[in-house]
Amino acid sequence: RKEVEQDPGPFNVPEGATVAFNCTYSNSASQSFFWYRQDCRKEPKLLMSVYSSGNEDGRFTAQLNRASQYISLLIRDSKLSDSATYLCVVLILTGGGNKLTFGTGTQLKVEL
Amino acid sequence: DTGVSQDPRHKITKRGQNVTFRCDPISEHNRLYWYRQTLGQGPEFLTYFQNEAQLEKSRLLSDRFSAERPKGSFSTLEIQRTEQGDSAMYLCASTGGRELFFGEGSRLTVL
């Protein structure tokens, strides 16, 4: 089983739609959680951290369920510019330090 | 530009040759990561440095791969006796806190 699993998509949605991405992780010792965004042929960039209480940044809402080892990202009122791959990232504290593990990413295409 | 820089951006080599990639992290960042990414996949962890110490190395990394960060600043990733399966984007990232900052990557093509 992969350490971090995501539905690869693609998710094709019309502009203005609400779309949700899910991510599961296998290591219960995971400490911190993030969503990164990666545009085609570009490097990943941090979209938002995910906190236990859930957090919101404009049209984006992230949720964490530690009991189910599940993370979600909700995008409301989607824009054409939201088209990208969304990567779920998990930080595990190992004996040697910090290991950041990425999921395979979920591709979003927002269409007119 | 004070971001993470990687060199070269593109490398085409023949099978069996050695290649070396360089990463210059953001200057005050003490942690540096190397990842490999292939089409349709997320970045795959290769190795991690805190200052000059290599603290973690993926079990997927064969003996042909070696990384260094001799003075705790720039890092190099060397691949010896390259194979076609090594073709990928090699990403370097650095952090001084929670957020990882990535370079634009070094794309390797092994013919």
Side-chain angles (χ1 to χ4, degrees):
Chain A
R1 183 185 173 189
K2 288 186 177 179
E3 291 184 84
V4 181
E5 296 205 58
Q6 295 182 250
D7 180 344
F11 284 58
N12 298 322
V13 302
E15 208 174 8
T18 296
V19 61
F21 304 138
N22 302 322
C23 170
T24 57
Y25 59 95
S26 61
N27 191 327
S28 58
S30 299
Q31 296 288 318
S32 301
F33 310 89
F34 309 89
W35 284 101
Y36 274 70
R37 169 188 170 135
Q38 186 170 25
D39 292 298
C40 188
R41 299 187 180 279
K42 297 286 189 181
E43 72 276 19
K45 292 184 178 177
L46 179 67
L47 177 66
M48 60 196 302
S49 300
V50 186
Y51 300 113
S52 297
S53 55
N55 49 299
E56 188 174 305
D57 182 2
R59 298 181 294 107
F60 298 84
T61 301
Q63 299 270 349
L64 167 65
N65 184 323
R66 283 190 183 271
S68 302
Q69 296 183 194
Y70 168 95
I71 306 155
S72 66
L73 176 68
L74 183 77
I75 305 175
R76 291 182 300 279
D77 187 25
S78 52
K79 313 290 184 192
L80 294 175
S81 57
D82 294 335
S83 298
T85 296
Y86 291 84
L87 296 157
C88 175
V89 185
V90 172
L91 171 69
I92 302 169
L93 294 179
T94 66
N98 304 319
K99 180 180 173 184
L100 281 151
T101 301
F102 285 72
T104 55
T106 299
Q107 189 179 8
L108 172 65
K109 295 180 181 178
V110 182
E111 302 164 331
L112 286 171
Chain B
D1 188 343
T2 57
V4 178
S5 63
Q6 293 188 244
D7 183 69
R9 294 288 310 282
H10 303 275
K11 178 71 177 179
I12 299 173
T13 191
K14 292 182 179 178
R15 186 161 49 97
Q17 297 295 304
N18 299 344
V19 296
T20 299
F21 301 119
R22 176 180 169 123
C23 171
D24 286 90
I26 293 171
S27 58
E28 61 268 26
H29 287 179
N30 61 345
R31 285 184 276 146
L32 185 149
Y33 293 79
W34 284 99
Y35 287 87
R36 175 172 62 192
Q37 188 172 27
T38 53
L39 195 62
Q41 300 297 313
E44 177 187 29
F45 172 81
L46 294 179
T47 191
Y48 153 66
F49 291 86
Q50 180 151 327
N51 300 313
E52 67 276 8
Q54 187 174 19
L55 297 184
E56 189 86 19
K57 188 175 175 181
S58 170
R59 275 171 279 177
L60 300 173
L61 218 58
S62 77
D63 291 342
R64 297 183 297 107
F65 287 72
S66 62
E68 294 183 340
R69 195 183 182 197
K71 296 181 180 178
S73 56
F74 74 92
S75 176
T76 57
L77 176 69
E78 182 183 15
I79 309 173
Q80 296 182 324
R81 304 181 303 282
T82 52
E83 301 173 356
Q84 287 183 323
D86 297 333
S87 295
M89 176 73 83
Y90 289 84
L91 291 164
C92 175
S94 71
T95 181
R98 289 169 62 85
E99 180 176 355
L100 270 182
F101 293 85
F102 281 86
E104 293 181 304
S106 293
R107 181 172 295 283
L108 173 65
T109 302
V110 181
L111 302 175

